Amino acid sequence: METVPTRIAVQVACVAALVSVGTMLLLVGAYGSGSLCLFGAVFWFWRLYRDAV
């Protein structure tokens, strides 16, 4: 069984935190900042996925 490198695991945790913060900001009405956080998280996750495949 192959283990996940630490740097990738840390990046996935940061993406999850960014999604959480973005969602919280959207829920409290900060649409600009929340949208930026979510867009950044989607872009970062896409880059991680693209590099892993």
Side-chain angles (χ1 to χ4, degrees):
M1 186 170 179
E2 192 173 324
T3 61
V4 177
T6 304
R7 63 183 177 83
I8 293 176
V10 169
Q11 287 186 45
V12 169
C14 290
V15 168
L18 197 56
V19 168
S20 300
V21 169
T23 303
M24 178 203 60
L25 287 170
L26 284 177
L27 289 175
V28 299
Y31 299 115
S33 299
S35 297
L36 273 171
C37 285
L38 290 176
F39 177 75
V42 167
F43 181 72
W44 193 357
F45 182 76
W46 172 73
R47 293 285 310 260
L48 279 172
Y49 177 76
R50 189 185 69 174
D51 290 342
V53 172

